[in-house]
Amino acid sequence: MEDLSTDSLMRMQVEQLEREKKELNQRLRTASKRIDHIERAYRKDEGPLVAQDYAEQQATDRATFETLQRSRIEGARQAFQDDMTTKKRLSRVMHDYLQRKELIIAQRSEEHTARLAESHKRIEEEKEKRRAAYLKEKEEEERQRLEAETIRREQEAEEARQEAGEYASLR
């Protein structure tokens, strides 16, 4: 060991690492080949099994589909039967229902007619009130206009008399 220098030690370590690396690569290559051979053997053996599995899957899918279809059809048939039973049961009551409906409609129609007549009556009363108020307002305006006209004429007559009185005193 004494005759080994640091350089030779490093070289030995590098060589050792390279040897280990080569061995590892060789082992990996060997394992890869084995796996490849095994995989090919599986494919060869399982090729026919895939087709068989596909056929089995189709058969189970078909059976499931048919079962679901039957249950859906049966459910629809049962719902139809229930609906028909309900229809029969309700058809016995339909005559009474229609009579009651007509009675209620007649009552509401009468109430509506009465409300409508009352509404028209109130509208006419309001119209009359507004007409009366409008006529009263017009009469008031006319009276005020006439009063203003009369006052204006009186003032003009008074002014005319005063002017005539002034002319007479000036003469």
Side-chain angles (χ1 to χ4, degrees), residues 9 14 38-39 47-49 62 73 91 101 111 121 150:
L9 276 176
V14 168
I38 291 172
E39 186 64 31
L49 296 177
R62 171 61 69 185
I73 290 170
S91 67
K101 182 178 173 182
E111 291 173 6
K121 180 181 168 187
T150 306

Side-chain angles (χ1 to χ4, degrees), residues 42-167:
Y42 282 153
R43 286 184 193 155
K44 206 175 204 181
D45 290 344
E46 291 182 3
L49 296 177
V50 169
Q52 181 183 352
D53 185 49
Y54 179 71
E56 288 174 7
Q57 185 65 41
Q58 276 188 324
T60 56
D61 288 349
R62 171 61 69 185
T64 304
F65 173 76
E66 289 173 356
T67 304
L68 288 174
Q69 283 295 88
R70 278 194 297 271
S71 67
R72 185 183 62 79
I73 290 170
E74 184 58 36
R77 184 174 289 124
Q78 184 62 42
F80 176 76
Q81 289 298 325
D82 292 345
D83 290 346
M84 293 307 291
T85 304
T86 303
K87 181 182 176 184
K88 268 186 185 178
R89 193 167 29 98
L90 291 178
S91 67
R92 293 186 302 220
V93 183
M94 193 64 167
H95 181 69
D96 295 333
Y97 167 76
L98 291 175
Q99 284 180 342
R100 179 73 176 155
K101 182 178 173 182
E102 288 176 12
L103 177 67
I104 290 172
I105 288 174
Q107 288 174 349
R108 288 185 181 168
S109 176
E110 290 173 8
E111 291 173 6
H112 177 69
T113 305
R115 286 185 192 150
L116 196 58
E118 180 65 28
S119 174
H120 284 303
K121 180 181 168 187
R122 276 190 267 138
I123 289 171
E124 288 302 319
E125 288 173 359
E126 282 296 318
K127 282 182 182 179
E128 284 301 316
K129 285 180 187 177
R130 288 187 181 183
R131 281 187 195 122
Y134 178 76
L135 289 175
K136 186 176 179 183
E137 185 180 319
K138 284 295 184 181
E139 288 173 2
E140 182 65 27
E141 287 176 4
E142 184 65 24
R143 188 186 58 76
Q144 288 176 357
R145 188 184 64 76
L146 289 175
E147 283 179 10
E149 184 70 26
T150 306
I151 293 171
R152 187 182 56 79
R153 283 186 193 153
E154 288 175 3
Q155 285 176 352
E156 286 177 1
E158 184 66 35
E159 287 175 7
R161 272 183 269 161
Q162 285 177 356
E163 284 180 19
E166 286 179 13
Y167 284 131

